[in-house]
Amino acid sequence: MDTLFVQELELRAVIGVHDWERTFAQRLRVDLVLGVTTEMAAKTDDLAHAVDYAALAERLQALAAQSACELIETLAARLADEVLEQPGVHWVRLTLHKPGALPAAKSVGITIERPIEHSAGEVAS
Ligand SMILES: Nc1nc2c(c(=O)[nH]1)N=C([C@H](O)[C@@H](O)CO)CN2
């Protein structure tokens, strides 16, 4: 199994448990590691046989922008489900950072791991 990664993708989302957090979109960052098979993409040199990380990044940014979760756990799970909807993704490890959450810390966040069985998405061969 190969891995495809995206580091520090910027997202914006309404997120947080406090009333003041419900009034504006906060800046978040997400790190992704995807379990993928790359043999066919490498053999054909054709994006149609690869997981398109640019298209995936846009989908995650759009999903975050439309969301309004209270907890980072909830948004992370929804983002992971979206990743697993992509054909060819077998599993995902996703870290969601909320840099502004704790003034005394550089960042806080959560890392979740999900196998394809966790989602309704199908794996394309
Ligand atoms: N486990 C979590 N703890 C907290 C969260 C969260 O999303 N998951 N969120 C908050 C607040 O929204 C915080 O970011 C700002 O005070 C607190 N704890």
Side-chain angles (χ1 to χ4, degrees), residues 63-84:
L63 190 158
Q66 291 161 11
S67 71
C69 305
E70 296 203 354
L71 300 180
I72 57 174
E73 286 86 342
T74 309
L75 181 56
R78 292 180 185 175
L79 293 168
D81 282 346
E82 179 69 20
V83 173
L84 291 173

Side-chain angles (χ1 to χ4, degrees), residues 16-18 20-21 70-73 98 101:
V17 301
H18 302 297
W20 61 265
E21 292 187 283
E70 296 203 354
L71 300 180
I72 57 174
E73 286 86 342
K98 188 177 180 185

Side-chain angles (χ1 to χ4, degrees), residues 10-125:
E10 190 171 305
L11 309 175
R12 287 178 180 273
V14 172
I15 189 162
V17 301
H18 302 297
D19 287 347
W20 61 265
E21 292 187 283
R22 314 301 305 164
T23 61
F24 66 102
Q26 299 191 47
R27 191 173 299 182
L28 307 170
R29 284 196 309 275
V30 68
D31 299 323
L32 301 169
V33 182
L34 281 54
V36 293
T37 48
T38 61
E39 283 83 358
M40 187 59 78
K43 193 173 170 182
T44 60
D45 198 27
D46 184 347
L47 182 60
H49 294 295
V51 175
D52 183 348
Y53 54 75
L56 178 59
E58 285 184 12
R59 273 194 287 276
L60 296 181
Q61 287 172 321
L63 190 158
Q66 291 161 11
S67 71
C69 305
E70 296 203 354
L71 300 180
I72 57 174
E73 286 86 342
T74 309
L75 181 56
R78 292 180 185 175
L79 293 168
D81 282 346
E82 179 69 20
V83 173
L84 291 173
E85 292 288 333
Q86 309 311 306
V89 177
H90 299 266
W91 55 264
V92 60
R93 181 181 310 123
L94 183 153
T95 299
L96 182 63
H97 302 261
K98 188 177 180 185
L102 275 185
K106 183 177 178 185
S107 187
V108 298
I110 187 160
T111 298
I112 64 172
E113 297 184 357
R114 298 286 186 270
I116 187 65
E117 294 79 29
H118 202 81
S119 159
E122 294 291 326
V123 177
S125 55

